[in-house]
């Protein structure tokens, strides 16, 4: 099962659903069984199209370095079984036990890392990483490493304000725009927040940039109430927002999880809850979340399971 089931009520609701990160929760999540494969996939995607998946131009170096100096110590503290950090004077040594690597560098010295700081750091985590300028109006997106997007690409969003980035999301700016900006303005260093976003997919692949659609469009065909549980996937994004103390930039992380719907509705009540949410998703949102093409067979699958459970009772 996935680590989150993002449906807290029986009807669809458009809300930010943001809460403070709890003391026992890590900012960067390590899904150890999948870690090596997902990091390797990142490296392969970046090798195939680096400029399409990483952007960190002039003026963002300070923000990138602060991301490392804030998150590496936190990761070593929160996940000591996987990572450790040694600091001697200005020299840092990062030990990634999951990859079996050690990296020596000096924060602020571009020549001490083989890649741009954010690009290097992105290859240590399963999350996608986006940096927003917290000192300019509208919180423009200024840098990022994006390998596992759900229907968008970095190049289309870079330099745009937060609300402009969300323009394609039905009703987002109208209903949540003001509260989103208020949330961003109120973020305090050392007090990260988190939320969970969801979509339905017909593939478990993580990289869903728009140009990949021809490679998996055929998977929409042949989905029936009998096979929808295995052929439809619940795609979750565990997102965090962190205000960096020195530059005031905002780091947005996205950890993507994917699993067949069938594996996520085995627990009592989950099947019924998901069915009720899907029945109440507005048409434009259903299209955006890719629910619309599979809604009928997926509901058929969920409702058949409800009937079976009722019969057994």
């Amino acid at each position: 099962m996935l680590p989150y089931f993002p449906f807290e009520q029986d009807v669809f609701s458009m809300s930010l659903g943001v809460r403070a990160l709890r003391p026992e929760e890590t900012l960067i999540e390590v899904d150890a069984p999948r870690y090596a494969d997902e990091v390797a996939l990142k490296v392969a995607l970046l090798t195939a199209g680096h400029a399409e998946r990483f952007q960190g131009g002039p003026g963002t170096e300070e923000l990138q370095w602060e991301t490392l100096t804030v998150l590496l110590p936190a990761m070593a503290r929160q996940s000591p079984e996987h990572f450790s950090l040694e600091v001697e004077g200005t020299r840092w040594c990062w030990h990634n036990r999951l990859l079996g690597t050690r990296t020596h560098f000096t924060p602020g010295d571009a020549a001490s890392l083989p890649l741009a700081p954010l690009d290097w750091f992105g290859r240590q985590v399963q999350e996608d990483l986006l940096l927003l300028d917290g000192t300019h109006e509208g919180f423009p997106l200024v840098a990022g490493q994006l390998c596992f997007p759900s229907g968008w690409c970095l190049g289309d969003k870079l330099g745009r304000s937060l609300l402009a980035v969300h323009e394609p999301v039905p009703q987002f700016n109208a209903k949540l725009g003001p509260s989103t900006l208020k949330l961003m303005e109120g973020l305090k260093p050392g007090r990260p927040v988190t939320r969970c976003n969801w979509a339905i997919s017909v593939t478990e692949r993580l990289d869903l940039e728009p140009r990949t659609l021809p490679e998996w469009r055929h998977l929409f065909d042949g989905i029936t109430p009998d096979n929808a549980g295995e052929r439809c996937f619940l795609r979750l994004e565990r997102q965090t927002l962190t205000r960096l103390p020195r530059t005031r930039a905002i780091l947005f992380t996205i950890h993507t999880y994917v699993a067949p719907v069938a594996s996520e509705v085995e627990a009592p009540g989950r099947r019924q809850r998901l069915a009720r949410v899907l029945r109440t998703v507005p048409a434009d949102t259903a299209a955006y979340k890719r629910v619309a093409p599979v809604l009928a067979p997926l509901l058929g699958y969920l409702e058949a399971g409800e009937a079976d459970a009722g019969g057994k009772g």
Side-chain angles (χ1 to χ4, degrees), residues 34-257:
R34 297 176 177 83
Y35 178 90
D37 287 343
E38 292 185 6
V39 170
L41 176 57
K42 271 192 171 190
V43 172
L45 290 168
L46 288 160
T47 300
H50 188 258
E52 299 161 355
R53 299 182 174 97
F54 173 75
Q55 293 287 335
T60 68
E61 296 90 349
E62 189 177 3
L63 283 62
Q64 295 185 52
W65 278 115
E66 190 177 16
T67 299
L68 269 65
T69 58
V70 169
L71 266 67
L72 290 182
M75 290 170 64
R77 183 177 64 253
Q78 295 170 347
S79 303
E81 71 277 23
H82 301 311
F83 312 109
S84 65
L85 178 66
E86 300 169 12
V87 179
E88 295 184 6
T90 61
R91 193 74 169 161
W92 288 30
C93 177
W94 173 251
H95 184 194
N96 184 325
R97 295 185 177 88
L98 290 166
L99 297 179
T101 59
R102 288 182 181 271
T103 306
H104 299 265
F105 65 95
T106 301
D109 180 3
S112 66
L113 277 178
L115 301 161
L118 192 69
D119 193 13
W120 173 83
F121 179 66
R123 301 170 196 234
Q124 309 294 313
V125 300
Q126 290 160 279
E127 282 83 353
D128 282 319
L129 307 167
L130 302 167
L131 280 170
L132 309 173
D133 188 336
T135 65
H136 281 68
E137 183 178 0
F139 303 97
L141 174 63
V142 294
Q145 188 196 80
L146 183 72
C147 294
F148 304 147
S150 183
W152 61 289
C153 58
L154 186 59
D156 289 344
K157 307 295 185 180
L158 201 70
R160 304 184 70 187
S161 71
L162 180 64
L163 295 189
V165 166
H166 284 90
E167 277 180 0
V169 183
Q171 300 300 311
F172 184 92
N173 287 348
K175 293 186 176 180
L176 301 180
S179 56
T180 299
L181 292 178
K182 185 176 180 180
L183 167 71
M184 302 292 280
E185 291 163 358
L187 278 177
K188 301 292 192 296
R191 297 171 62 182
V193 299
T194 185
R195 68 184 297 267
C196 193
N197 196 25
W198 67 272
I200 297 294
S201 182
V202 292
T203 175
E204 58 187 336
R205 69 183 287 168
L206 294 172
D207 55 315
L208 294 183
E209 294 150 311
R211 64 175 173 272
T212 69
L213 180 58
E215 300 173 23
W216 51 271
R217 192 199 311 265
H218 65 282
L219 297 175
F220 283 101
D221 300 334
I223 295 178
T224 70
D226 293 328
N227 63 28
E230 287 72 34
R231 291 197 47 190
C232 293
F233 296 83
L234 182 60
R235 182 181 173 105
L236 302 184
E237 293 180 351
R238 189 258 196 176
Q239 304 172 350
T240 72
L241 290 163
T242 301
R243 171 81 74 173
L244 301 180
R246 183 165 44 83
T247 62
R248 307 293 294 172
I250 295 174
L251 173 67
F252 179 42
T253 74
I254 309 169
H255 191 136
T256 301
Y257 296 92

Side-chain angles (χ1 to χ4, degrees), residues 261-285:
V261 169
S263 69
E264 303 309 301
V265 296
E266 294 177 355
R270 281 191 169 196
R271 183 182 293 265
Q272 186 179 61
R273 171 66 57 83
L274 179 56
R276 289 176 175 174
V277 169
L278 292 177
R279 290 188 197 107
T280 57
V281 175
D284 54 358
T285 301

